Amino acid sequence: EPPAAAALERALALLRSLGAVDAGGLTELGRLLARVPAQPRLARLLVAGHELGVPAGAAAAAAILGERDPWLIEDRRVEQHGSDSDVLDRVRALLAFERDGRSPELQRGAAHACLAAKRQLERIARGALGTPRDLEGDASDALLVALLAAFPDRLTRRRADDPTRGVLVGGRGVRLAPECAVREGELFLSIDLDGKSAEALVRKASLVQREWVDGGRTHAVFEPVFDAARLRVVGRKRVYLGELLLEETDAPISDAERAESVLVAAARTDLERALGLADPERRGFLARVRSLADWMPELELPHVDDGFLAELLPELCAGATSFADLQRASLEHAILARLDHRQRAALDREAPERWQVPSGSRIRLTYEPGRPPVLAARIQELFGLRETPRVAANRVPVLLHLLAPNGRPEQVTDDLASFWSDTYFRVRKDLRPRYPKHAWPDDPTTAAPQRRPQRRR
């Protein structure tokens, strides 16, 4: 069976970070790693150790990382002393155990298993890579650099306000486990990472010097980003060491086109808030178009769904930098521009925004897809209207909310003729004593409509 797409992408991302593959396929380093029958990270560690002149230390580190941890020392060591590397501490103890046959820091059975793996890895590396280079400089630093080569995607910047926490390449937060002894230094590797929680737990870490990453050279990138708190695009100056973000500060937006692209991407993730779809008038307009598309499919109106709205974003975001700007943009105009003359005329005629009742008032219709439109009007304003209004080429009756003089619904119906002939008289009997200034004619189908009570002469 083929691997899951997400798992395959994670594997390729790791190979890219190790330098084993690029856009052209397998790199020269990738071919070298392929000759070492070990996991990609451990193979990269062995190759780096071979090139830096610390093959035994690299093999010991690979064995420790690949086998059961032989370390015995409790968390108290963190309080007693710090460390440059949890892995280096174990390597030193394992090499001492290999030399002396004992170590108070290691569990004996696990140490023997690590030693067997270490010797096997040394033979594998020697067979695949040949004679290692001579060591230049400090062996401990060389081994730490080799670890960096194997875990470049685990480079971490320690938080200034909390030395037990850091930020990985890519922005994920981490927290040092109590047993991790690497408590100082700006940069470190999060080698043994428990990623089950939102803030990953680092059980083994290793110090990194700035000069080991691109020679310590930083580079600044000026780019627009979306500020989720302010719902707007802002300029950012980001300073990187390699791929690790070191600091971020506000800066002017220098590329308006990129800023618009950033706003489009942010708006796609939250269309309702970005476009102000909760606004009653905007929501009503969208409901009109969607309802008429259902009632009269022969008009071939567009389906104004989220996908359709997302296609409008590049146009709406022109010159905008915030959700507030987007909400002020004319979404309605952008939609109408995609309708032909016949469709626009049908929208006005067959799904009108307002309906003129006999009193002369133009009352807004409330549309909701899947339901008939609602017209809420006082009973007196409908005198003289015999039949229920209809929309969509007379296919859909309007649902009337007949209101008392105080504006509260007294009856809901889509059969006005039946209301006048029957229910009206029960409603009149109940309401006329309470609202004597309002008209309550015997025949509402022929009576003059009223917007408000007429003054008595």
Side-chain angles (χ1 to χ4, degrees), residues 94-229:
L94 186 63
L95 294 179
F97 183 81
E98 182 178 35
R99 182 182 65 249
D100 303 331
R102 60 185 179 83
S103 172
E105 300 170 315
L106 303 179
Q107 196 275 331
R108 189 174 184 84
H112 277 297
C114 283
L115 273 182
K118 177 247 183 191
R119 290 162 183 161
Q120 182 183 23
L121 289 169
E122 280 187 291
R123 289 194 297 272
I124 288 173
R126 192 180 305 113
L129 306 174
T131 304
R133 295 181 184 176
D134 294 333
L135 173 65
E136 296 181 5
D138 182 78
S140 296
D141 282 356
L143 185 53
L144 296 183
V145 173
L147 286 169
L148 174 60
F151 293 88
D153 55 324
R154 301 282 181 85
L155 185 60
T156 310
R157 172 178 54 82
R158 196 183 305 273
R159 292 189 184 276
D161 58 344
D162 187 348
T164 67
R165 283 175 161 79
V167 181
L168 279 166
V169 167
R172 186 179 183 185
V174 300
R175 175 171 54 88
L176 298 182
E179 65 269 24
C180 181
V182 183
R183 299 290 166 140
E184 296 182 357
E186 177 193 17
L187 307 176
F188 61 90
L189 297 176
S190 299
I191 291 178
D192 186 351
L193 197 60
D194 183 350
K196 295 179 181 178
S197 59
E199 190 176 46
L201 191 65
V202 182
R203 302 190 185 281
K204 296 187 189 74
S206 187
L207 193 67
V208 174
Q209 300 294 340
R210 272 202 182 204
E211 58 267 23
W212 298 345
V213 183
D214 290 350
R217 294 184 298 275
T218 61
H219 63 281
V221 176
F222 293 85
E223 55 190 356
V225 298
F226 186 73
D227 186 328

Side-chain angles (χ1 to χ4, degrees), residues 375-448:
L375 176 67
R378 287 191 297 275
I379 294 172
Q380 283 73 18
E381 295 205 63
L382 298 179
F383 290 162
L385 182 64
R386 295 175 180 272
E387 298 293 336
T388 301
R390 304 177 75 87
V391 297
N394 290 324
R395 298 176 193 178
V396 181
V398 172
L399 187 64
L400 295 168
H401 287 202
L402 303 175
L403 309 180
N406 63 359
R408 294 181 179 177
E410 283 295 323
Q411 185 73 21
V412 176
T413 183
D414 62 0
D415 187 350
L416 186 60
S418 176
F419 171 78
W420 291 140
S421 65
D422 183 17
T423 311
Y424 164 74
F425 296 99
R426 294 198 298 271
V427 170
R428 182 179 72 161
K429 181 179 180 181
D430 181 49
L431 295 182
R432 183 161 57 178
R434 288 190 281 162
Y435 303 100
K437 294 182 179 180
H438 291 75
W440 301 101
D442 292 334
D443 185 0
T445 62
T446 59

Side-chain angles (χ1 to χ4, degrees), residues 310-338:
E311 291 178 1
L312 300 178
L313 286 174
E315 172 186 337
L316 296 172
C317 287
T321 59
S322 67
F323 279 8
D325 292 340
L326 271 180
Q327 292 160 13
R328 286 191 291 269
S330 180
L331 175 64
E332 295 81 358
H333 178 78
I335 294 174
L336 289 173
R338 281 158 176 75

Side-chain angles (χ1 to χ4, degrees), residues 342-393:
R342 178 180 64 94
Q343 291 170 327
R344 288 195 296 272
L347 181 64
D348 291 337
R349 182 181 65 252
E350 308 299 346
E353 181 182 359
R354 295 177 179 273
W355 191 279
Q356 183 168 323
V357 295
S359 67
S361 298
R362 292 181 55 79
I363 299 175
R364 185 184 298 274
L365 290 165
T366 302
Y367 290 85
E368 185 176 345
R371 297 184 180 183
V374 172
L375 176 67
R378 287 191 297 275
I379 294 172
Q380 283 73 18
E381 295 205 63
L382 298 179
F383 290 162
L385 182 64
R386 295 175 180 272
E387 298 293 336
T388 301
R390 304 177 75 87
V391 297

